[in-house]
Amino acid sequence: SPDTSPFDVGPRKFKSGTEIVGYLNGVCKDYNNGQELPEYDFEVVKALIEKTWSEKVQSGIASIVVANRGQGRRVAFIRKDDSLGQVSLESCIKKLGLPDVAPSDVPKCMKPGEIKRLRVRAPSRGAPALGRGRGRGSFR
């Protein structure tokens, strides 16, 4: 059924697992360590945590910040009861079971140095990113 698609994460319908990886790398690059995610990225990352680490959600996720840059890609979150949690984005990607991203490739593609190659940037409204052709989309 469509709502169990590994490519659907909250408000965002991704086209592929590599697009999800590129998006998460973009989030880690766009926000400073400790910076709170704004509404759209918050909704996507919150849905990712709910989908992959439902046991960590508990009272509900109130806010999410980028954490531990340079030591793997992680996010920390504050729950509605003010308790704290955190997850590794690599572990979230592995748990999605993406058909086009082998678990053994996840640490490699989530390395900071790979951001530019994988980054797929779409406007925050959730419009689909353009294809990979030269000069389309905004690979930086």
Side-chain angles (χ1 to χ4, degrees):
S1 84
D3 48 5
T4 58
S5 163
F7 303 142
D8 292 355
V9 185
R12 183 80 179 257
K13 308 277 185 259
F14 292 95
K15 305 262 187 311
S16 66
T18 48
E19 191 187 353
I20 295 175
V21 171
Y23 167 81
L24 292 171
N25 272 329
V27 165
C28 290
K29 183 168 187 261
D30 285 350
Y31 304 114
N32 295 321
N33 204 16
Q35 191 173 351
E36 194 172 325
L37 298 186
E39 184 179 12
Y40 179 76
D41 290 321
F42 166 76
E43 290 297 337
V44 177
V45 177
K46 177 169 82 97
L48 177 72
I49 297 167
E50 289 168 347
K51 194 164 177 154
T52 55
W53 288 102
S54 54
E55 66 275 21
K56 292 193 177 196
V57 174
Q58 296 167 23
S59 64
I61 296 173
S63 65
I64 299 173
V65 299
V66 172
N68 294 352
R69 276 175 75 173
Q71 304 161 29
R73 303 243 176 248
R74 304 184 75 79
V75 290
F77 48 91
I78 301 168
R79 297 186 186 92
K80 291 178 177 164
D81 64 3
D82 287 336
S83 63
L84 301 176
Q86 61 169 328
V87 294
S88 150
L89 293 176
E90 289 180 14
S91 69
C92 293
I93 291 169
K94 287 178 182 173
K95 287 180 88 141
L96 281 175
L98 300 167
D100 59 330
V101 179
S104 57
D105 288 342
V106 172
K108 189 172 68 211
C109 63
M110 288 298 281
K111 272 201 327 238
E114 295 290 299
I115 289 170
K116 284 198 174 72
R117 196 169 64 74
L118 276 165
R119 184 131 183 248
V120 179
R121 185 78 187 157
S124 287
R125 315 292 153 255
L130 295 169
R132 289 204 154 86
R134 214 159 167 63
R136 300 176 59 209
S138 60
F139 292 86
R140 287 188 201 154

